[in-house]
Amino acid sequence: DPCRNFHCKRGKVCHVDKQGKPICICQDPAACPSTKDYEHVCGTDNKTYDGTCQLFGTKCQLEGTKMGRQLHLDYMGSCKHIPHCTDYEVDQFPLRMRDWLKNILMQYYERDLDTSGFLTEKQRSKVKKIYQNDKRLMAGNHAVELLLHDFEKNYHMYVYPVHWQFHQLDQHPVDRLLTHSELAPLRASLVPMEHCITRFFQECDGDQDKLIALKEWCHCFGIKE
């Protein structure tokens, strides 16, 4: 099968032409496998798609048009009203996000105690120090004042989780810069719960070059060094 190891980008599928050569053609959105409600996604055109297959297939068919260029995955789940993010809310956002990143690493560390594979050995040794610290703020829905107090008091516990998330996202390519598409997986999963994430990322890009450098990322989260 010529298509077996032939890779096509999202929205395209491999097809064998008349000469028997593999080529990439647009995925027919109608031919996408059926999805469950929780797999629905919202596009930047504010339309709900049955899944990423349907969204990227539609984008491919619109290639070369203004609509095609503007269509991206906005967030996971069906489209809904996303409230406007206020100045106060965007100021509070890094507090919750830092706490959330730290707790994700704690969960990964706990899971690795039973079955390893979530973290590398180097990551485990860094996370272990935070995990075993008896002053650690446990996971929960904490007041903003407590999150701020804990960040000021236990600053060192938050540095690694912020760096870790940056390097998790910095993959295509690994260049210490985050593009729109590298940020998309994190952004798309969080928008329905954290409506300030889009504005937060826009304001993180201090020089407005459509890329978030490691220094800009850390600055946004209040990490000094």
Side-chain angles (χ1 to χ4, degrees):
D1 177 9
C3 279
R4 195 165 169 192
N5 293 316
F6 193 76
H7 179 72
C8 293
K9 69 174 190 176
R10 288 179 94 168
K12 296 197 173 191
V13 287
C14 184
H15 174 77
V16 181
D17 67 9
K18 287 174 184 171
Q19 284 78 42
K21 288 183 179 169
I23 55 167
C24 291
I25 60 166
C26 285
Q27 164 76 50
D28 176 6
C32 286
S34 60
T35 56
K36 307 274 192 303
D37 282 354
Y38 62 80
E39 292 174 301
H40 289 176
V41 296
C42 185
T44 43
D45 55 356
N46 206 31
K47 279 187 192 165
T48 298
Y49 292 85
D50 283 349
T52 51
C53 170
Q54 198 182 82
L55 170 72
F56 288 105
T58 304
K59 179 177 171 66
C60 182
Q61 290 189 332
L62 293 168
E63 212 167 303
T65 67
K66 187 180 177 186
M67 275 178 74
R69 282 193 299 277
Q70 291 177 340
L71 180 59
H72 300 286
L73 168 64
D74 200 5
Y75 52 87
M76 310 307 278
S78 301
C79 294
K80 61 179 189 177
H81 172 67
I82 304 291
H84 173 71
C85 175
T86 65
D87 292 350
Y88 174 76
E89 286 173 322
V90 83
D91 286 346
Q92 309 307 319
F93 179 80
L95 303 178
R96 291 194 304 278
M97 189 75 176
R98 280 189 306 242
D99 187 55
W100 183 71
L101 291 175
K102 184 190 68 180
N103 287 317
I104 280 180
L105 279 174
M106 297 305 102
Q107 283 179 9
Y108 280 169
Y109 183 82
E110 281 181 339
R111 285 186 204 170
D112 270 7
L113 295 175
D114 301 324
T115 51
S116 62
F118 287 100
L119 301 170
T120 64
E121 206 53 50
K122 190 177 173 187
Q123 288 170 337
R124 278 176 60 75
S125 68
K126 285 182 179 286
V127 177
K128 186 179 183 181
K129 289 172 191 165
I130 306 171
Y131 186 81
Q132 293 181 336
N133 194 315
D134 57 357
K135 293 189 178 70
R136 176 165 62 88
L137 189 64
M138 294 300 169
N141 195 8
H142 302 297
V144 164
E145 292 76 22
L146 181 58
L147 292 175
L148 186 59
H149 175 70
D150 192 62
F151 178 63
E152 288 168 353
K153 203 171 96 193
N154 298 307
Y155 171 80
H156 61 283
M157 287 193 205
Y158 293 91
V159 177
Y160 182 68
V162 169
H163 279 236
W164 169 80
Q165 180 63 84
F166 183 92
H167 293 296
Q168 289 294 107
L169 295 169
D170 182 24
Q171 299 292 336
H172 311 288
V174 179
D175 56 2
R176 294 171 81 90
L177 294 167
L178 296 182
T179 62
H180 174 84
S181 59
E182 284 175 321
L183 284 167
L186 177 66
R187 197 192 147 279
S189 58
L190 285 181
V191 166
M193 297 172 286
E194 288 284 4
H195 64 282
C196 281
I197 194 161
T198 302
R199 181 175 162 187
F200 176 73
F201 285 153
Q202 284 167 349
E203 293 183 8
C204 269
D205 181 16
D207 56 9
Q208 298 292 297
D209 64 350
K210 303 244 186 317
L211 299 166
I212 297 179
L214 179 60
K215 204 169 181 179
E216 289 174 321
W217 174 268
C218 288
H219 176 73
C220 278
F221 283 104
I223 305 300
K224 297 183 247 335
E225 62 264 22

